[in-house]
Amino acid sequence: MGLLQLFLLLGIFCSSSVVGFGVDPALRISVFDELTLGEGFDGVTQVQGFHSESRAFHFQGSSREVVAPVEVSEQMVQKLRGKNEFTVLVTLKQDHLNSGVILSIHHSEHRFLELESSGQRSEVRLHYRTKGQQAHTEVFPYSLADDQWHKVSVAVSASHVILHVDCNRIYERVVEAPYMDIPEGASFWLGQRNAAHGFFKGVMQDVEVLVMPQGYISQCPDLNRTCPTCNDFHGLVQKIMELQDILAKTSSKLSRAEEKMNGLDGCYCERTCSVKGVVYREDEGWTDGCRNCTCSNGTVQCEAISCPPPQCPTGTAPAYVKGACCKECQPVCMFGGRELVDGDQKAVRDSSGRCLLFECRDRTMHRVVPSEPCPELNCAESEQIALSDRCCKVCRGHDFCSEGHSCVEHSDCVNLEAGDCCVCKDGFRPLRDDNAYCEDIDECAEGKHYCRENTMCVNTPGSFMCICHTGYIRIDDYSCTEHDECLSGLHNCDENALCFNMVGGHSCSCKPGYTGNGTVCKAMCDGLCQNGGTCVSPNNCVCQQGFTGKSCETDIDECADGFVECDSKSTCVNLPGWYHCECRDGYHDNGLFSANGESCVDINECKTGRNTCANDTVCFNLDGGYDCRCPHGHNCTGDCIHDNKVKHSGQIWVLDSDRCSVCSCQAGQVMCRRMVCDCDNPNADLFCCPECDPRLSSQCLHQNGLLTYGSGDTWVENCQQCQCLQGQVDCWPLPCPPVDCEFTVVPEGECCPRCVTDPCQADTIRNDITKTCTDEHNISRFSGSSWIKHGTECTLCQCKNGHICCSVDPMCL
């Protein structure tokens, strides 16, 4: 069965997950019990809850600090650390329009798990960090802040998130999986983000975190099912990926083993030594001239032969024998008062001048009769030399060495006036007194070298070399000087850094206006660059599209500046960093969502029933609206029907659901608008007009603790749009323009994704398991899997939707 078929079957067949309603205490975090709530927390009082089976607490005010002690926080976080399947449960009654945090687990500024309910924008927000160490917020449009009791559960299973409210499945989404490797020292807050922001106001009961699949069943037992979770599926995929890697590694090892075995078929494994055409086996010894040599593990090791002084008997004398290193006792002949050994010849001349040649053999001098006459010489008689061991004269400068010599290893034959001799080559010393055998001199060990400072002596046959130390360059054969990497350009300093030459290397220091370690320098800008701006040079910010100002602090109002031309059926709405053309009242988008509003089409209020014409009038559709007309011959009242109630023509009223909106009935049509705020009016409704609220208690402190905002003010911070309303700060993800492409990337310092064509550059790919890659072993790998490329240690490859992307593993750097 193929892998794809296996995954499809997983979606059909089910396996047991949660059986019964009991929960293992090891998998439950009861937040109220862990924090011992009710014992000394200001701003928290015990009240009657939704039911009487557990305690409920009322959270009020904004001068409280409900945070777990360090050891308690670590105990709770330890249950969550590294888990990818858990559920947050809470029963709550949140004050009307309150925006507050239910619980938050964060370290420094990084939120690893935070559940927030915004009454101002009617949203439930789940904040967490992804495996790519990016902050992520998943927004669920839903209003909990209505002063009514609700059972809420947020279940996370790998990349699967389910929101239940009052045991109804509200949203089910596939998101980027949370990263739950929470560092030590993380803090656990309840009912607030920290000591200054995100205060929840209302009543909470049964606040729990269950580290298990489908934890919402403990809150709503009727939802009990036995289907596998998304985490079960991801776990199976991960196991298959691991098996693929094991198979690839095993196949690679098997292939290498087969190659070695094939090579061993014709291989004799014993290590041998080959010297002068002769092969010696392991531990076999031999004599090479004046050295005793041994073959050891395939390497020739030799030592010089030490010759003891020979003790020769009478009638013999020490002399060198061909092929032997030491002198041996040889029989001698006495001739003319001198001792000659076997083979020595002596020429004498009689009274008539005739030359007689004698040779020592068997202790007796024998006359040698020449077989050929002496060769004719081509030099003057004055240049002719008579020799003691032959009768024939030779010319001065005769090449005796060409007639044969006994000079063997590392020894050269040198012609003399009446013969030849052996002389050791440069860098060698004699092993015997006639210089026929010589050995190498280790100039480095004996200190007979000329290497100067910054070098290292290395012995070579007959000589030595002076190697430069690391970071130095050669001056001549014997000396080196420091290598100025800064001058030569062979350094690793950033282009915005200064290079300083040092002994054996160099150092880098960022130029003024830049910060970093010297190898990487980034420009510094006063106050930093806001709204995704990039600091490209000292105090010079390049702003993201849609922002301007020295620090990119000012949003460009594309609508007010006339940069945008929206279709007549739409109106321009400015947003932080961008804009969009929103359909006017009476129009709606046809689904094409064109940027300039051309996709806005008229709503037929008469057909859709979105009109307020009374029963005695007839609805006529108009472009962008409708008209309530009185039929011919009738006397119509001009009244309106609103919320199933009759409103008389000219009547004005305030909406029951929104006290800030005023409606009126005009000739059969209901016209509603937001209440106009007049801050000069002392009776202005501050609830509807927060910008008119002068009270200090309604002001908000910026996240950095340095700025203060008045009620109604808005600003952008860390890719979030924030608003101050009556002392409460509410922030939501900054809206981004839509991108219609397969591969996207969020550049560093920016908030919104951009399209890229190269999948290897993308960081927001939704992996499709039906798209596989074939690695170097012809093994199919799932999209999203990674492996180390065969034959390397640091090349990490990934499969991204059918594309193989390889790079150097940062762990090797």
Side-chain angles (χ1 to χ4, degrees), residues 320-363:
Y320 288 114
V321 179
K322 186 177 182 180
C325 177
C326 299
K327 288 183 177 181
E328 299 179 2
C329 295
Q330 300 290 321
V332 297
C333 303
M334 298 300 297
F335 189 77
R338 296 182 59 189
E339 289 184 346
L340 301 178
V341 298
D342 275 1
D344 287 349
Q345 294 182 341
K346 192 69 175 177
V348 296
R349 287 175 172 77
D350 56 13
S351 56
S352 63
R354 186 177 58 166
C355 180
L356 302 176
L357 183 64
F358 295 90
E359 181 179 351
C360 178
R361 291 196 304 271
D362 299 329
R363 302 178 186 271

Short mmCIF file of all heavy atoms in Angstrom, two decimals, residues 320-363:
data_model
loop_
_atom_site.label_atom_id
_atom_site.label_comp_id
_atom_site.label_asym_id
_atom_site.label_seq_id
_atom_site.Cartn_x
_atom_site.Cartn_y
_atom_site.Cartn_z
N TYR A 320 87.98 -2.91 3.69
CA TYR A 320 86.58 -2.95 3.24
C TYR A 320 86.42 -3.97 2.13
O TYR A 320 87.25 -4.07 1.22
CB TYR A 320 86.13 -1.59 2.73
CG TYR A 320 85.94 -0.58 3.86
CD1 TYR A 320 86.78 0.53 3.95
CD2 TYR A 320 84.93 -0.75 4.79
CE1 TYR A 320 86.62 1.45 4.96
CE2 TYR A 320 84.77 0.17 5.82
CZ TYR A 320 85.61 1.28 5.91
OH TYR A 320 85.45 2.17 6.90
N VAL A 321 85.34 -4.75 2.19
CA VAL A 321 85.00 -5.75 1.19
C VAL A 321 83.75 -5.27 0.47
O VAL A 321 82.83 -4.73 1.11
CB VAL A 321 84.77 -7.13 1.83
CG1 VAL A 321 84.39 -8.16 0.77
CG2 VAL A 321 86.01 -7.57 2.58
N LYS A 322 83.68 -5.45 -0.81
CA LYS A 322 82.54 -5.00 -1.59
C LYS A 322 81.23 -5.59 -1.04
O LYS A 322 81.14 -6.79 -0.84
CB LYS A 322 82.71 -5.38 -3.06
CG LYS A 322 81.62 -4.81 -3.95
CD LYS A 322 81.89 -5.15 -5.43
CE LYS A 322 80.81 -4.55 -6.31
NZ LYS A 322 81.06 -4.87 -7.75
N GLY A 323 80.25 -4.71 -0.81
CA GLY A 323 78.95 -5.14 -0.31
C GLY A 323 78.85 -5.18 1.19
O GLY A 323 77.77 -5.42 1.74
N ALA A 324 79.96 -4.98 1.89
CA ALA A 324 79.95 -4.98 3.35
C ALA A 324 80.17 -3.59 3.86
O ALA A 324 80.86 -2.77 3.25
CB ALA A 324 81.03 -5.92 3.88
N CYS A 325 79.57 -3.31 5.05
CA CYS A 325 79.67 -1.97 5.61
C CYS A 325 80.90 -1.84 6.48
O CYS A 325 81.57 -0.81 6.45
CB CYS A 325 78.40 -1.66 6.41
SG CYS A 325 78.43 -0.04 7.23
N CYS A 326 81.21 -2.87 7.27
CA CYS A 326 82.32 -2.80 8.21
C CYS A 326 83.58 -3.46 7.61
O CYS A 326 83.49 -4.34 6.76
CB CYS A 326 81.96 -3.51 9.52
SG CYS A 326 80.51 -2.76 10.37
N LYS A 327 84.75 -3.02 8.10
CA LYS A 327 86.01 -3.62 7.65
C LYS A 327 86.11 -5.05 8.15
O LYS A 327 85.65 -5.36 9.24
CB LYS A 327 87.20 -2.82 8.16
CG LYS A 327 87.36 -1.47 7.47
CD LYS A 327 88.62 -0.75 7.98
CE LYS A 327 88.83 0.57 7.26
NZ LYS A 327 90.06 1.27 7.73
N GLU A 328 86.65 -5.90 7.29
CA GLU A 328 86.87 -7.30 7.64
C GLU A 328 88.36 -7.63 7.52
O GLU A 328 89.09 -6.99 6.77
CB GLU A 328 86.05 -8.20 6.71
CG GLU A 328 84.56 -7.98 6.79
CD GLU A 328 83.80 -8.88 5.83
OE1 GLU A 328 84.47 -9.70 5.15
OE2 GLU A 328 82.55 -8.75 5.76
N CYS A 329 88.80 -8.64 8.27
CA CYS A 329 90.23 -9.02 8.26
C CYS A 329 90.57 -9.73 6.94
O CYS A 329 89.91 -10.73 6.59
CB CYS A 329 90.55 -9.95 9.43
SG CYS A 329 90.37 -9.13 11.06
N GLN A 330 91.54 -9.21 6.25
CA GLN A 330 91.94 -9.75 4.95
C GLN A 330 93.43 -10.14 5.01
O GLN A 330 94.24 -9.45 5.65
CB GLN A 330 91.71 -8.72 3.85
CG GLN A 330 90.27 -8.27 3.69
CD GLN A 330 89.41 -9.37 3.13
OE1 GLN A 330 89.84 -10.13 2.24
NE2 GLN A 330 88.21 -9.49 3.69
N PRO A 331 93.83 -11.24 4.31
CA PRO A 331 95.26 -11.60 4.26
C PRO A 331 96.05 -10.52 3.52
O PRO A 331 95.52 -9.89 2.60
CB PRO A 331 95.28 -12.94 3.50
CG PRO A 331 93.97 -12.98 2.78
CD PRO A 331 92.98 -12.20 3.60
N VAL A 332 97.29 -10.32 3.93
CA VAL A 332 98.08 -9.24 3.36
C VAL A 332 99.36 -9.80 2.72
O VAL A 332 99.79 -10.92 3.00
CB VAL A 332 98.45 -8.21 4.45
CG1 VAL A 332 97.19 -7.57 5.02
CG2 VAL A 332 99.27 -8.85 5.57
N CYS A 333 99.93 -8.97 1.83
CA CYS A 333 101.21 -9.25 1.21
C CYS A 333 102.16 -8.11 1.57
O CYS A 333 101.75 -6.93 1.58
CB CYS A 333 101.10 -9.34 -0.31
SG CYS A 333 99.92 -10.58 -0.91
N MET A 334 103.40 -8.45 1.86
CA MET A 334 104.41 -7.43 2.15
C MET A 334 105.14 -7.13 0.86
O MET A 334 105.68 -8.04 0.22
CB MET A 334 105.37 -7.94 3.24
CG MET A 334 104.70 -8.23 4.56
SD MET A 334 103.89 -6.76 5.28
CE MET A 334 105.34 -5.71 5.53
N PHE A 335 105.14 -5.87 0.48
CA PHE A 335 105.79 -5.50 -0.78
C PHE A 335 106.39 -4.12 -0.60
O PHE A 335 105.68 -3.14 -0.35
CB PHE A 335 104.78 -5.48 -1.93
CG PHE A 335 105.41 -5.31 -3.29
CD1 PHE A 335 106.04 -6.40 -3.91
CD2 PHE A 335 105.40 -4.09 -3.94
CE1 PHE A 335 106.61 -6.25 -5.17
CE2 PHE A 335 105.97 -3.95 -5.19
CZ PHE A 335 106.57 -5.02 -5.83
N GLY A 336 107.69 -4.08 -0.73
CA GLY A 336 108.40 -2.81 -0.60
C GLY A 336 108.21 -2.17 0.75
O GLY A 336 108.16 -0.94 0.88
N GLY A 337 108.05 -3.01 1.80
CA GLY A 337 107.87 -2.49 3.15
C GLY A 337 106.45 -2.04 3.45
O GLY A 337 106.20 -1.48 4.53
N ARG A 338 105.51 -2.33 2.56
CA ARG A 338 104.11 -1.92 2.77
C ARG A 338 103.20 -3.14 2.73
O ARG A 338 103.50 -4.13 2.08
CB ARG A 338 103.66 -0.92 1.70
CG ARG A 338 104.43 0.39 1.75
CD ARG A 338 103.88 1.32 0.70
NE ARG A 338 102.46 1.59 0.90
CZ ARG A 338 101.69 2.23 0.02
NH1 ARG A 338 102.20 2.68 -1.10
NH2 ARG A 338 100.41 2.40 0.29
N GLU A 339 102.09 -3.04 3.46
CA GLU A 339 101.11 -4.12 3.47
C GLU A 339 100.07 -3.88 2.38
O GLU A 339 99.52 -2.80 2.29
CB GLU A 339 100.40 -4.20 4.84
CG GLU A 339 101.29 -4.72 5.96
CD GLU A 339 100.52 -4.86 7.25
OE1 GLU A 339 99.38 -4.30 7.34
OE2 GLU A 339 101.00 -5.52 8.17
N LEU A 340 99.86 -4.92 1.57
CA LEU A 340 98.82 -4.87 0.55
C LEU A 340 97.84 -6.00 0.80
O LEU A 340 98.25 -7.11 1.19
CB LEU A 340 99.44 -5.00 -0.86
CG LEU A 340 100.48 -3.95 -1.27
CD1 LEU A 340 101.03 -4.26 -2.67
CD2 LEU A 340 99.87 -2.55 -1.24
N VAL A 341 96.57 -5.75 0.56
CA VAL A 341 95.55 -6.80 0.73
C VAL A 341 95.24 -7.40 -0.62
O VAL A 341 95.64 -6.88 -1.66
CB VAL A 341 94.28 -6.22 1.39
CG1 VAL A 341 94.58 -5.69 2.78
CG2 VAL A 341 93.64 -5.17 0.51
N ASP A 342 94.53 -8.54 -0.58
CA ASP A 342 94.17 -9.21 -1.82
C ASP A 342 93.51 -8.26 -2.78
O ASP A 342 92.60 -7.50 -2.42
CB ASP A 342 93.21 -10.37 -1.53
CG ASP A 342 93.95 -11.65 -1.16
OD1 ASP A 342 95.18 -11.60 -1.10
OD2 ASP A 342 93.26 -12.66 -0.91
N GLY A 343 94.02 -8.29 -4.03
CA GLY A 343 93.47 -7.45 -5.07
C GLY A 343 94.24 -6.18 -5.31
O GLY A 343 94.09 -5.55 -6.37
N ASP A 344 95.02 -5.76 -4.34
CA ASP A 344 95.82 -4.55 -4.54
C ASP A 344 96.93 -4.83 -5.55
O ASP A 344 97.52 -5.91 -5.58
CB ASP A 344 96.46 -4.10 -3.23
CG ASP A 344 95.44 -3.50 -2.28
OD1 ASP A 344 94.29 -3.23 -2.74
OD2 ASP A 344 95.76 -3.27 -1.09
N GLN A 345 97.19 -3.85 -6.42
CA GLN A 345 98.22 -3.96 -7.44
C GLN A 345 99.27 -2.89 -7.19
O GLN A 345 98.97 -1.81 -6.67
CB GLN A 345 97.63 -3.81 -8.85
CG GLN A 345 96.71 -4.95 -9.25
CD GLN A 345 96.17 -4.79 -10.67
OE1 GLN A 345 96.19 -3.70 -11.24
NE2 GLN A 345 95.72 -5.90 -11.25
N LYS A 346 100.52 -3.24 -7.65
CA LYS A 346 101.63 -2.31 -7.46
C LYS A 346 102.52 -2.37 -8.69
O LYS A 346 102.87 -3.46 -9.16
CB LYS A 346 102.43 -2.71 -6.22
CG LYS A 346 103.42 -1.66 -5.78
CD LYS A 346 102.71 -0.41 -5.23
CE LYS A 346 103.72 0.58 -4.68
NZ LYS A 346 103.06 1.80 -4.20
N ALA A 347 102.81 -1.16 -9.24
CA ALA A 347 103.66 -1.08 -10.43
C ALA A 347 105.07 -0.63 -10.03
O ALA A 347 105.21 0.33 -9.26
CB ALA A 347 103.05 -0.11 -11.43
N VAL A 348 106.12 -1.33 -10.55
CA VAL A 348 107.52 -0.96 -10.27
C VAL A 348 108.28 -0.94 -11.59
O VAL A 348 107.86 -1.59 -12.57
CB VAL A 348 108.19 -1.96 -9.29
CG1 VAL A 348 107.51 -1.91 -7.94
CG2 VAL A 348 108.13 -3.38 -9.84
N ARG A 349 109.33 -0.20 -11.65
CA ARG A 349 110.14 -0.10 -12.85
C ARG A 349 111.56 -0.58 -12.53
O ARG A 349 112.14 -0.21 -11.49
CB ARG A 349 110.15 1.34 -13.38
CG ARG A 349 108.80 1.67 -14.03
CD ARG A 349 108.75 3.14 -14.45
NE ARG A 349 107.56 3.43 -15.24
CZ ARG A 349 106.36 3.59 -14.75
NH1 ARG A 349 106.19 3.51 -13.43
NH2 ARG A 349 105.34 3.83 -15.56
N ASP A 350 112.12 -1.39 -13.49
CA ASP A 350 113.47 -1.91 -13.27
C ASP A 350 114.49 -0.87 -13.70
O ASP A 350 114.13 0.26 -14.08
CB ASP A 350 113.66 -3.23 -14.03
CG ASP A 350 113.37 -3.10 -15.52
OD1 ASP A 350 113.27 -1.93 -16.00
OD2 ASP A 350 113.20 -4.12 -16.20
N SER A 351 115.75 -1.29 -13.70
CA SER A 351 116.83 -0.34 -13.98
C SER A 351 116.80 0.15 -15.42
O SER A 351 117.28 1.25 -15.73
CB SER A 351 118.20 -1.01 -13.70
OG SER A 351 118.31 -2.21 -14.46
N SER A 352 116.15 -0.65 -16.29
CA SER A 352 116.07 -0.21 -17.69
C SER A 352 114.85 0.65 -17.96
O SER A 352 114.62 1.08 -19.08
CB SER A 352 116.04 -1.44 -18.61
OG SER A 352 114.87 -2.21 -18.34
N GLY A 353 114.05 0.84 -16.90
CA GLY A 353 112.84 1.68 -17.06
C GLY A 353 111.62 0.90 -17.47
O GLY A 353 110.55 1.50 -17.67
N ARG A 354 111.71 -0.39 -17.58
CA ARG A 354 110.56 -1.20 -17.94
C ARG A 354 109.64 -1.34 -16.73
O ARG A 354 110.10 -1.56 -15.61
CB ARG A 354 111.01 -2.56 -18.44
CG ARG A 354 109.89 -3.40 -18.98
CD ARG A 354 110.42 -4.72 -19.52
NE ARG A 354 111.13 -5.44 -18.47
CZ ARG A 354 111.47 -6.72 -18.56
NH1 ARG A 354 111.19 -7.41 -19.64
NH2 ARG A 354 112.14 -7.30 -17.57
N CYS A 355 108.31 -1.24 -16.95
CA CYS A 355 107.31 -1.31 -15.87
C CYS A 355 106.89 -2.74 -15.67
O CYS A 355 106.52 -3.44 -16.62
CB CYS A 355 106.11 -0.45 -16.21
SG CYS A 355 104.81 -0.48 -14.92
N LEU A 356 106.92 -3.15 -14.40
CA LEU A 356 106.46 -4.47 -14.01
C LEU A 356 105.27 -4.31 -13.05
O LEU A 356 105.34 -3.54 -12.07
CB LEU A 356 107.58 -5.26 -13.34
CG LEU A 356 108.85 -5.46 -14.18
CD1 LEU A 356 109.93 -6.16 -13.36
CD2 LEU A 356 108.55 -6.28 -15.44
N LEU A 357 104.14 -5.04 -13.27
CA LEU A 357 102.92 -4.92 -12.46
C LEU A 357 102.73 -6.20 -11.64
O LEU A 357 102.74 -7.30 -12.18
CB LEU A 357 101.69 -4.71 -13.36
CG LEU A 357 100.36 -4.50 -12.64
CD1 LEU A 357 100.40 -3.21 -11.82
CD2 LEU A 357 99.20 -4.44 -13.65
N PHE A 358 102.55 -5.99 -10.30
CA PHE A 358 102.36 -7.11 -9.39
C PHE A 358 101.01 -6.96 -8.68
O PHE A 358 100.53 -5.87 -8.41
CB PHE A 358 103.51 -7.17 -8.35
CG PHE A 358 104.84 -7.46 -8.96
CD1 PHE A 358 105.68 -6.43 -9.40
CD2 PHE A 358 105.29 -8.80 -9.09
CE1 PHE A 358 106.90 -6.71 -9.96
CE2 PHE A 358 106.53 -9.05 -9.66
CZ PHE A 358 107.35 -8.02 -10.10
N GLU A 359 100.41 -8.14 -8.34
CA GLU A 359 99.10 -8.15 -7.64
C GLU A 359 99.18 -9.10 -6.47
O GLU A 359 99.76 -10.19 -6.58
CB GLU A 359 97.99 -8.61 -8.58
CG GLU A 359 96.61 -8.61 -7.92
CD GLU A 359 95.52 -9.05 -8.87
OE1 GLU A 359 95.77 -9.19 -10.09
OE2 GLU A 359 94.37 -9.25 -8.39
N CYS A 360 98.59 -8.67 -5.34
CA CYS A 360 98.60 -9.49 -4.13
C CYS A 360 97.49 -10.52 -4.23
O CYS A 360 96.30 -10.16 -4.33
CB CYS A 360 98.42 -8.61 -2.90
SG CYS A 360 98.36 -9.54 -1.33
N ARG A 361 97.91 -11.82 -4.15
CA ARG A 361 96.95 -12.91 -4.15
C ARG A 361 97.48 -14.00 -3.23
O ARG A 361 98.63 -14.43 -3.37
CB ARG A 361 96.73 -13.50 -5.55
CG ARG A 361 96.01 -12.56 -6.49
CD ARG A 361 95.47 -13.34 -7.71
NE ARG A 361 96.50 -14.08 -8.43
CZ ARG A 361 97.23 -13.60 -9.42
NH1 ARG A 361 97.05 -12.35 -9.81
NH2 ARG A 361 98.13 -14.37 -10.01
N ASP A 362 96.64 -14.41 -2.30
CA ASP A 362 96.99 -15.50 -1.39
C ASP A 362 98.31 -15.22 -0.68
O ASP A 362 99.23 -16.06 -0.65
CB ASP A 362 97.07 -16.84 -2.13
CG ASP A 362 95.75 -17.21 -2.77
OD1 ASP A 362 94.68 -16.82 -2.20
OD2 ASP A 362 95.75 -17.87 -3.83
N ARG A 363 98.39 -14.02 -0.15
CA ARG A 363 99.53 -13.57 0.68
C ARG A 363 100.83 -13.46 -0.12
O ARG A 363 101.91 -13.29 0.45
CB ARG A 363 99.76 -14.53 1.86
CG ARG A 363 98.53 -14.68 2.78
CD ARG A 363 98.83 -15.68 3.89
NE ARG A 363 97.64 -15.95 4.69
CZ ARG A 363 97.27 -15.25 5.76
NH1 ARG A 363 98.00 -14.24 6.14
NH2 ARG A 363 96.19 -15.60 6.43
#
